[in-house]
Amino acid sequence: MNPQAKLISTTSLLLGTSITISSNHWMTAWIGLEINTLAILPLISKTHHPRAIEASTKYFLTQATASTLLLFASMINAWFSGQWDITQLTHPMSCMLSTVAISIKLGLVPFHFWFPEVLQGSTMTTCLLLATIMKFPPITLFYLTSPSLNSTLLTSMAIASAALGGWMGLNQTQTRKVLAFSSIAHLGWMTIILNYDPNLTLITFYLYTMTTSAIFLILNTTNTLKLSTVMTTWTKIPPLTTIFMLTLLSLAGLPPLTGFLPKWLIIQELTKQELTATATAISLLSLLGLFFYLRLAYCATITLPPNFTNYMKQWQTNKPTNPLTTIFTSLSIMLLP
């Protein structure tokens, strides 16, 4: 990809995100989301592979639909209340439509179908952007409108996301798809607490972003796309593979690692709100996720590859380790202790 084009796309991505998260008016938030969508498309389709073109087309169609719905919701609200302020979302129809639009943008169940496919067609770096930075503007809109949203709808979508994210991740062999379903399951955790404590949603998102970034950067360093190639990473950089295992366990939410903190706080808050059944359900569903993280960790550190697989075994990776990898992995493992 042309360096100038790459620079323009990246700058536009940061600009779009900044506009949306700092805006108070529905129109500017919508403009920011549109800039974001248009900026990420060249980064998804830059490999010119049929899968990448398909991924960028799917991404464009779903995001355009979500943006239209969001604009429609804000216009209905302005029509009935005369307010364009994001926090003044009062009309029931607008609340419903904006919840649906933001859920499509995030990839919450039942609007999750595009997300694994788009990630599978993108490069590791683009996947990192799609799973972290691109989720920030919609999460911010959820945060701003949280008092107006329907808690029953959000809770049912959150439980469904945690269930489906865990369930669908079990039989995946591609690392990008595993991380896509992991993202859907984590979005379930973020959404379930949105009505009761929106600050917890943001904390969960920040910690999830940090841990997922660490995992994507490690996979990018070792050039790993499939579970069968995860098995050969031990011979490339053993220390990095050990850190990879700990970061995966942190993402699964095992104490005393950083990933345990948001889950602990969310369960505590749900129990305070007398939603013990909901807390129990989402805790049990996180065990599905734990299984596939453990499988990834097992493949990376404990399994030696069989001899008849047909790929070249590298003894040392060609890429230098990104300094960001060190920072993110350290925080992902050590922040809570």
Side-chain angles (χ1 to χ4, degrees):
M1 192 178 179
N2 187 340
Q4 284 85 2
K6 202 170 190 176
L7 179 67
I8 291 169
S9 288
T10 317
T11 317
S12 304
L13 202 63
L14 294 170
L15 176 72
T17 306
S18 309
I19 288 173
T20 305
I21 63 176
S22 59
S23 61
N24 213 11
H25 193 285
W26 275 114
M27 218 57 179
T28 45
W30 176 78
I31 289 166
L33 290 170
E34 286 302 295
I35 292 171
N36 253 359
T37 304
L38 294 174
I40 196 84
L41 287 173
L43 296 173
I44 298 173
S45 59
K46 69 179 176 185
T47 53
H48 300 295
H49 190 273
R51 279 307 292 266
I53 305 298
E54 183 193 339
S56 54
T57 311
K58 283 177 178 172
Y59 186 78
F60 174 72
L61 291 172
T62 47
Q63 296 299 310
T65 310
S67 293
T68 314
L69 274 173
L70 196 65
L71 193 61
F72 186 48
S74 58
M75 284 174 75
I76 289 175
N77 192 59
W79 182 270
F80 282 99
S81 67
Q83 285 286 346
W84 280 99
D85 196 312
I86 295 179
T87 51
Q88 303 296 319
L89 193 68
T90 48
H91 195 262
M93 186 69 176
S94 297
C95 295
M96 182 77 172
L97 281 174
S98 65
T99 307
V100 170
I102 297 169
S103 303
I104 295 172
K105 284 226 167 262
L106 286 171
L108 270 172
V109 174
F111 313 106
H112 65 283
F113 298 102
W114 62 274
F115 191 57
E117 298 298 320
V118 171
L119 250 63
Q120 186 55 35
S122 312
T123 60
M124 274 292 173
T125 321
T126 315
C127 286
L128 168 59
L129 292 173
L130 283 167
T132 55
I133 293 174
M134 296 301 287
K135 298 263 160 117
F136 193 30
I139 284 276
T140 313
L141 290 178
F142 253 166
Y143 177 82
L144 291 171
T145 55
S146 58
S148 324
L149 302 178
N150 184 344
S151 59
T152 316
L153 178 67
L154 284 177
T155 306
S156 50
M157 281 164 77
I159 296 283
S161 297
L164 194 125
W167 204 259
M168 295 288 282
L170 292 178
N171 61 349
Q172 299 299 332
T173 55
Q174 301 282 338
T175 49
R176 284 170 293 186
K177 278 203 171 177
V178 167
L179 287 166
F181 286 113
S182 139
S183 177
I184 292 167
H186 275 86
L187 281 170
W189 280 89
M190 291 172 216
T191 314
I192 204 160
I193 203 66
L194 189 67
N195 268 109
Y196 310 105
D197 193 347
N199 293 327
L200 259 184
T201 301
L202 280 187
I203 291 170
T204 311
F205 177 72
Y206 294 147
L207 294 176
Y208 156 77
T209 301
M210 199 170 61
T211 318
T212 307
S213 301
I215 287 173
F216 271 120
L217 288 166
I218 291 170
L219 291 175
N220 193 30
T221 306
T222 54
N223 201 13
T224 309
L225 297 174
K226 295 201 288 282
L227 276 182
S228 54
T229 3
V230 174
M231 294 175 187
T232 63
T233 52
W234 184 260
T235 55
K236 295 181 193 176
I237 318 178
L240 193 66
T241 317
T242 312
I243 291 169
F244 177 55
M245 180 188 78
L246 288 170
T247 316
L248 278 168
L249 296 179
S250 174
L251 195 60
L254 286 186
L257 305 166
T258 310
F260 174 60
L261 177 67
K263 293 190 174 178
W264 178 24
L265 292 174
I266 288 170
I267 291 167
Q268 196 176 352
E269 184 60 35
L270 286 173
T271 317
K272 275 185 198 167
Q273 299 288 344
E274 298 184 358
L275 296 165
T276 321
T278 314
T280 311
I282 202 158
S283 309
L284 288 172
L285 289 170
S286 70
L287 293 174
L288 291 168
L290 175 64
F291 176 80
F292 64 74
Y293 295 126
L294 281 173
R295 189 175 64 159
L296 261 175
Y298 176 79
C299 285
T301 50
I302 300 168
T303 316
L304 279 172
N307 296 324
F308 49 78
T309 42
N310 54 351
Y311 49 80
M312 193 186 290
K313 197 168 176 182
Q314 286 177 287
W315 286 101
Q316 190 62 37
T317 180
N318 305 324
K319 292 183 187 176
T321 307
N322 192 327
L324 280 175
T325 314
T326 319
I327 298 164
F328 283 139
T329 46
S330 308
L331 288 172
S332 304
I333 297 165
M334 299 303 294
L335 201 60
L336 180 61

